Amino acid sequence: MATRRPEGLTASLLIGPATLVVMLSLVLPLALLARYSLNKYDRRTFMIDAFTPENYLRFVTDPFYTGVLWTTFSIAIVTTLLCLILGFPIAYKLARSQTRWKSIGVLLIILPLFIGSTVRALGWMGVLGRGGIIDAAYGALGGSGISLLYTSFAVGIGILSINLPYMILTLQSVIEGIDARLEEAADSLGADPPRRFWHVVLPLALPGIGTGGILVFILAMNAYATPFLLGGARFQMMAPMLYREFAVNNNWPFAAAIAFILMLTTLSLTAVSGLLVQRRYKAQ
Amino acid sequence: MPGHPASAAALRGLVRLLVVIGIALMLIPLLMTAYMSLFADGVVTFPPSGYTLSWYGRLAEFPKFGQALGTSLRVAAMATLCSLLIGVPASIALVRYSFPGRSALNVLLLSPLTVPGVVIGLGLYVLMVDIEIRTEFPLIGSDWVLILAHLLITTPWVVRLCVANLVQLDRSIEEAAANLGASPGRVLWSVTLPMMRQGIIAAALFAFIVSFENIEMTLFLISPGMITFPISVLQYLEYRFDPLVASVVVVQTAVIAALLLAIDRYVKLSKVV
C-alpha cells in the first residue's frame, strides 16, 4: 500500500485541470448569474445592485411571459410524445434487423445529429414558407397563398425532425438489449402482435422510453435556432426570448431570471419524470 | 396464428405509415436544402425557372464568409486541442484510478451537456464583463473567450468518448508493463495512450464538430468583428433566404458528414453516441 499516496496525487493531477475548467467556466458564471437575477434593471445605467425577487415576480405575474413558458412547455411535451410514437417503430425495426443494411441505417440516423439545426430549419422554410412547396401546391389547386411559417405547426415539425434521431438511437439500444426469445415465447404461447407489444416489449423498453423522452424534452425546452427561424416574432419560445431580453432590451437581471426559470423548470420536470419511470419500472 | 387477420393487417399498415412519416421528417429538410441550392433564381419560389450549379462557385460572396469560417475553424481547432489535453488525462483518472469523489467528478465533468446553451452563454458573458470591469482588460471579442467557452462543451464529449474507449481496453497489458519495471509515467505514455489511439481520434473529431456547430452559447460571446460560421448563416437567414445560403449550408453539411464517416472507420459511432 506504499503506492497509495502517489496514486491519489497522480489522479488529482490528471483530473485537476478539467475539473478546474468546468468549475471556472460553468459553476462560477452560474453563481454570478444567480446574483444578477436579484438585481434591478435601470433604463440609464442598465443595472443597479439590489437584492429583490422582482424579476422572478415580474415573470410569474405577467401573462405574456407565463404564456411563453407554457407555449415552450406544450411544444416540448407534444414533440416528445410524437418522437416516441414515430421513433419506436423505426427503432424496433433497426434493433431487430440482421442485415447489413442495419449499420447503414444506424449511420444515417446518427449523421443528422451533428448537422446544425439551422440546416433543418432552412429546409423547412422552403417547404412551409411563402413561395414554398406547400404554397405552390396550394396555389396550383386554386388556393391563394398560404404560409405555414411562424406557427406552432412549423416550430413543432422543425423540432420533431431534429429530435427524432436522438429518440430512435436511445430506443434502439434498449430494444437491442431485450432478448428476442421473450417475444418468440409470447408468440408461441399465442399472443398476437399487439399483445406482445403491450405486455412484453413495451414494459421492457420503459427505461429507454424514459431516458429518450427526457433527452428530447430537454432539447425541445432549450431549442434556439428552430423557434428563432421557424417561429419568428409571432411564435415565441423561452431561449430566443432570453436572448432578446439580453441583446435587444439590455435587461440582464431579467434575462438572468429567465435563465434560471428555464433551467429549473427543465430540471425539475426531468427529475419528476425520471422518478415516475423508475417507480413504474420497479413495479414491473 | 393471430386471431384477426384484418385488424392485424391494419395494424401493420399503421406501423408502416409511422415509419414512413418518421423517415420523411428526418430526410425532407436535408433534401430540400440540397434541392434549393440548385435553383437558378435569386429567390426561392416554386417551381424554379431553371437549375444551376453556379451558386457553388459564388460561396465566397456570402457575407463575412472568409472571416466567419476562419474564426470557426480556429476556435474549433484550439478548443479540440485543449479539450484533449485536459479531457484525456481526466478520463484516465476516472477509469484507471480510484479516489474519493470519483463518481461526483464524473457527473461534474459531463454536466455542461445538461445545462441549456443560452444559460451557459449568458453566464459566461456576464462573468467576462464583470472581469473586464474589474481589470479593465478587454475580453469580449477575443478568441480566447470563445475557446474557453467551447472547451466547456467539448471536454464532456472527450471525457465521455475516452472513458467508453478505456473501459474496453485490457488492463492486464498495462499491469504487465508495470510488472516488467516500467514507471507509472512510462506505462501511461508508452502503453495506455497508444492503446487509446482510436478513442482519442474519435474524441478529437467529435469535439471539433461540437465546437464548429455551436450556436446557442456562442451567440452571447461574439462581437461585430468576430462572428462564427453557423451564426453568420443564422443572421443571414433572418433577412434573406436564397439559393446561396442553401449551397453554403450544403457544403458545410458535406464536410461534417465526411468527418463523421472518417470517425466511423475508427470507432463505431453507434457504440459511442
Side-chain angles (χ1 to χ4, degrees), chain B residues 7-29:
Chain B
S7 70
L11 198 74
R12 258 202 305 278
L14 179 70
V15 169
R16 203 161 292 160
L17 182 71
L18 290 179
V19 170
V20 170
I21 293 176
I23 292 174
L25 275 174
M26 290 186 288
L27 274 184
I28 284 175

mmCIF file of all heavy atoms in Angstrom, chain B residues 7-29:
data_model
loop_
_atom_site.group_PDB
_atom_site.id
_atom_site.type_symbol
_atom_site.label_atom_id
_atom_site.label_comp_id
_atom_site.label_asym_id
_atom_site.label_seq_id
_atom_site.Cartn_x
_atom_site.Cartn_y
_atom_site.Cartn_z
ATOM 1 N N SER B 7 -57.575 -7.010 -38.715
ATOM 2 C CA SER B 7 -57.052 -5.966 -37.830
ATOM 3 C C SER B 7 -55.532 -6.035 -37.754
ATOM 4 O O SER B 7 -54.867 -5.008 -37.610
ATOM 5 C CB SER B 7 -57.668 -6.094 -36.434
ATOM 6 O OG SER B 7 -57.164 -7.249 -35.800
ATOM 7 N N ALA B 8 -54.974 -7.244 -37.860
ATOM 8 C CA ALA B 8 -53.515 -7.364 -37.840
ATOM 9 C C ALA B 8 -52.911 -6.666 -39.053
ATOM 10 O O ALA B 8 -51.903 -5.974 -38.944
ATOM 11 C CB ALA B 8 -53.099 -8.839 -37.814
ATOM 12 N N ALA B 9 -53.583 -6.822 -40.205
ATOM 13 C CA ALA B 9 -53.090 -6.166 -41.422
ATOM 14 C C ALA B 9 -53.186 -4.652 -41.283
ATOM 15 O O ALA B 9 -52.265 -3.919 -41.664
ATOM 16 C CB ALA B 9 -53.896 -6.634 -42.636
ATOM 17 N N ALA B 10 -54.307 -4.182 -40.695
ATOM 18 C CA ALA B 10 -54.480 -2.745 -40.485
ATOM 19 C C ALA B 10 -53.378 -2.221 -39.584
ATOM 20 O O ALA B 10 -52.810 -1.150 -39.820
ATOM 21 C CB ALA B 10 -55.853 -2.462 -39.878
ATOM 22 N N LEU B 11 -53.052 -2.989 -38.555
ATOM 23 C CA LEU B 11 -52.016 -2.563 -37.603
ATOM 24 C C LEU B 11 -50.655 -2.480 -38.288
ATOM 25 O O LEU B 11 -49.906 -1.522 -38.095
ATOM 26 C CB LEU B 11 -51.967 -3.569 -36.448
ATOM 27 C CG LEU B 11 -51.260 -3.040 -35.209
ATOM 28 C CD1 LEU B 11 -52.137 -2.046 -34.489
ATOM 29 C CD2 LEU B 11 -50.882 -4.193 -34.296
ATOM 30 N N ARG B 12 -50.375 -3.507 -39.102
ATOM 31 C CA ARG B 12 -49.089 -3.489 -39.823
ATOM 32 C C ARG B 12 -49.012 -2.276 -40.729
ATOM 33 O O ARG B 12 -47.974 -1.639 -40.838
ATOM 34 C CB ARG B 12 -48.922 -4.777 -40.638
ATOM 35 C CG ARG B 12 -47.976 -5.777 -39.976
ATOM 36 C CD ARG B 12 -47.401 -6.754 -41.002
ATOM 37 N NE ARG B 12 -48.438 -7.433 -41.761
ATOM 38 C CZ ARG B 12 -49.109 -8.503 -41.312
ATOM 39 N NH1 ARG B 12 -48.863 -8.979 -40.116
ATOM 40 N NH2 ARG B 12 -50.028 -9.064 -42.046
ATOM 41 N N GLY B 13 -50.146 -1.969 -41.374
ATOM 42 C CA GLY B 13 -50.202 -0.792 -42.242
ATOM 43 C C GLY B 13 -49.911 0.484 -41.464
ATOM 44 O O GLY B 13 -49.156 1.336 -41.911
ATOM 45 N N LEU B 14 -50.520 0.575 -40.281
ATOM 46 C CA LEU B 14 -50.337 1.767 -39.444
ATOM 47 C C LEU B 14 -48.867 1.930 -39.049
ATOM 48 O O LEU B 14 -48.290 3.014 -39.142
ATOM 49 C CB LEU B 14 -51.215 1.666 -38.193
ATOM 50 C CG LEU B 14 -51.108 2.835 -37.219
ATOM 51 C CD1 LEU B 14 -51.742 4.078 -37.821
ATOM 52 C CD2 LEU B 14 -51.751 2.504 -35.886
ATOM 53 N N VAL B 15 -48.265 0.804 -38.623
ATOM 54 C CA VAL B 15 -46.858 0.858 -38.214
ATOM 55 C C VAL B 15 -45.991 1.292 -39.392
ATOM 56 O O VAL B 15 -45.103 2.139 -39.247
ATOM 57 C CB VAL B 15 -46.397 -0.511 -37.667
ATOM 58 C CG1 VAL B 15 -44.880 -0.535 -37.505
ATOM 59 C CG2 VAL B 15 -47.077 -0.814 -36.351
ATOM 60 N N ARG B 16 -46.287 0.725 -40.583
ATOM 61 C CA ARG B 16 -45.515 1.088 -41.768
ATOM 62 C C ARG B 16 -45.661 2.585 -42.062
ATOM 63 O O ARG B 16 -44.703 3.252 -42.406
ATOM 64 C CB ARG B 16 -45.978 0.258 -42.959
ATOM 65 C CG ARG B 16 -44.933 0.135 -44.047
ATOM 66 C CD ARG B 16 -45.212 -1.022 -44.964
ATOM 67 N NE ARG B 16 -45.054 -2.306 -44.308
ATOM 68 C CZ ARG B 16 -45.585 -3.439 -44.756
ATOM 69 N NH1 ARG B 16 -46.348 -3.438 -45.830
ATOM 70 N NH2 ARG B 16 -45.382 -4.577 -44.117
ATOM 71 N N LEU B 17 -46.884 3.093 -41.895
ATOM 72 C CA LEU B 17 -47.141 4.522 -42.124
ATOM 73 C C LEU B 17 -46.308 5.381 -41.170
ATOM 74 O O LEU B 17 -45.684 6.366 -41.569
ATOM 75 C CB LEU B 17 -48.635 4.819 -41.943
ATOM 76 C CG LEU B 17 -49.043 6.271 -42.191
ATOM 77 C CD1 LEU B 17 -48.956 6.589 -43.679
ATOM 78 C CD2 LEU B 17 -50.454 6.537 -41.679
ATOM 79 N N LEU B 18 -46.267 4.970 -39.893
ATOM 80 C CA LEU B 18 -45.486 5.717 -38.898
ATOM 81 C C LEU B 18 -44.009 5.738 -39.283
ATOM 82 O O LEU B 18 -43.337 6.763 -39.173
ATOM 83 C CB LEU B 18 -45.651 5.097 -37.509
ATOM 84 C CG LEU B 18 -47.018 5.263 -36.842
ATOM 85 C CD1 LEU B 18 -47.041 4.577 -35.482
ATOM 86 C CD2 LEU B 18 -47.351 6.734 -36.683
ATOM 87 N N VAL B 19 -43.508 4.582 -39.756
ATOM 88 C CA VAL B 19 -42.095 4.514 -40.159
ATOM 89 C C VAL B 19 -41.833 5.486 -41.303
ATOM 90 O O VAL B 19 -40.862 6.251 -41.285
ATOM 91 C CB VAL B 19 -41.721 3.070 -40.571
ATOM 92 C CG1 VAL B 19 -40.343 3.045 -41.224
ATOM 93 C CG2 VAL B 19 -41.749 2.144 -39.370
ATOM 94 N N VAL B 20 -42.751 5.490 -42.288
ATOM 95 C CA VAL B 20 -42.559 6.371 -43.448
ATOM 96 C C VAL B 20 -42.584 7.844 -43.013
ATOM 97 O O VAL B 20 -41.730 8.638 -43.423
ATOM 98 C CB VAL B 20 -43.642 6.087 -44.517
ATOM 99 C CG1 VAL B 20 -43.597 7.155 -45.608
ATOM 100 C CG2 VAL B 20 -43.431 4.716 -45.116
ATOM 101 N N ILE B 21 -43.544 8.204 -42.144
ATOM 102 C CA ILE B 21 -43.627 9.595 -41.678
ATOM 103 C C ILE B 21 -42.339 9.982 -40.954
ATOM 104 O O ILE B 21 -41.772 11.052 -41.177
ATOM 105 C CB ILE B 21 -44.841 9.791 -40.744
ATOM 106 C CG1 ILE B 21 -46.149 9.618 -41.524
ATOM 107 C CG2 ILE B 21 -44.815 11.185 -40.112
ATOM 108 C CD1 ILE B 21 -47.394 9.695 -40.659
ATOM 109 N N GLY B 22 -41.876 9.099 -40.079
ATOM 110 C CA GLY B 22 -40.659 9.393 -39.313
ATOM 111 C C GLY B 22 -39.468 9.632 -40.220
ATOM 112 O O GLY B 22 -38.730 10.615 -40.066
ATOM 113 N N ILE B 23 -39.262 8.732 -41.197
ATOM 114 C CA ILE B 23 -38.119 8.875 -42.102
ATOM 115 C C ILE B 23 -38.261 10.151 -42.929
ATOM 116 O O ILE B 23 -37.299 10.896 -43.120
ATOM 117 C CB ILE B 23 -37.989 7.626 -43.009
ATOM 118 C CG1 ILE B 23 -37.586 6.429 -42.142
ATOM 119 C CG2 ILE B 23 -36.961 7.851 -44.109
ATOM 120 C CD1 ILE B 23 -37.551 5.115 -42.856
ATOM 121 N N ALA B 24 -39.502 10.435 -43.380
ATOM 122 C CA ALA B 24 -39.731 11.641 -44.177
ATOM 123 C C ALA B 24 -39.371 12.883 -43.371
ATOM 124 O O ALA B 24 -38.722 13.804 -43.881
ATOM 125 C CB ALA B 24 -41.184 11.701 -44.632
ATOM 126 N N LEU B 25 -39.769 12.910 -42.089
ATOM 127 C CA LEU B 25 -39.490 14.081 -41.255
ATOM 128 C C LEU B 25 -37.991 14.331 -41.141
ATOM 129 O O LEU B 25 -37.538 15.469 -41.100
ATOM 130 C CB LEU B 25 -40.072 13.878 -39.863
ATOM 131 C CG LEU B 25 -41.541 14.246 -39.687
ATOM 132 C CD1 LEU B 25 -42.022 13.859 -38.312
ATOM 133 C CD2 LEU B 25 -41.720 15.742 -39.907
ATOM 134 N N MET B 26 -37.212 13.242 -41.079
ATOM 135 C CA MET B 26 -35.765 13.425 -40.923
ATOM 136 C C MET B 26 -35.106 13.788 -42.255
ATOM 137 O O MET B 26 -34.125 14.516 -42.288
ATOM 138 C CB MET B 26 -35.137 12.157 -40.345
ATOM 139 C CG MET B 26 -35.534 11.925 -38.889
ATOM 140 S SD MET B 26 -34.671 10.543 -38.141
ATOM 141 C CE MET B 26 -35.441 9.170 -38.957
ATOM 142 N N LEU B 27 -35.643 13.253 -43.352
ATOM 143 C CA LEU B 27 -34.983 13.444 -44.651
ATOM 144 C C LEU B 27 -35.388 14.725 -45.367
ATOM 145 O O LEU B 27 -34.550 15.380 -45.991
ATOM 146 C CB LEU B 27 -35.303 12.250 -45.562
ATOM 147 C CG LEU B 27 -34.394 11.035 -45.428
ATOM 148 C CD1 LEU B 27 -34.776 9.985 -46.456
ATOM 149 C CD2 LEU B 27 -32.936 11.442 -45.610
ATOM 150 N N ILE B 28 -36.686 15.084 -45.291
ATOM 151 C CA ILE B 28 -37.192 16.200 -46.103
ATOM 152 C C ILE B 28 -36.376 17.481 -45.944
ATOM 153 O O ILE B 28 -35.950 18.061 -46.951
ATOM 154 C CB ILE B 28 -38.694 16.452 -45.814
ATOM 155 C CG1 ILE B 28 -39.534 15.385 -46.513
ATOM 156 C CG2 ILE B 28 -39.127 17.831 -46.287
ATOM 157 C CD1 ILE B 28 -41.010 15.462 -46.212
ATOM 158 N N PRO B 29 -36.096 17.941 -44.715
ATOM 159 C CA PRO B 29 -35.365 19.217 -44.621
ATOM 160 C C PRO B 29 -33.987 19.163 -45.271
ATOM 161 O O PRO B 29 -33.557 20.142 -45.887
ATOM 162 C CB PRO B 29 -35.255 19.470 -43.112
ATOM 163 C CG PRO B 29 -35.617 18.204 -42.446
ATOM 164 C CD PRO B 29 -36.473 17.439 -43.382
#
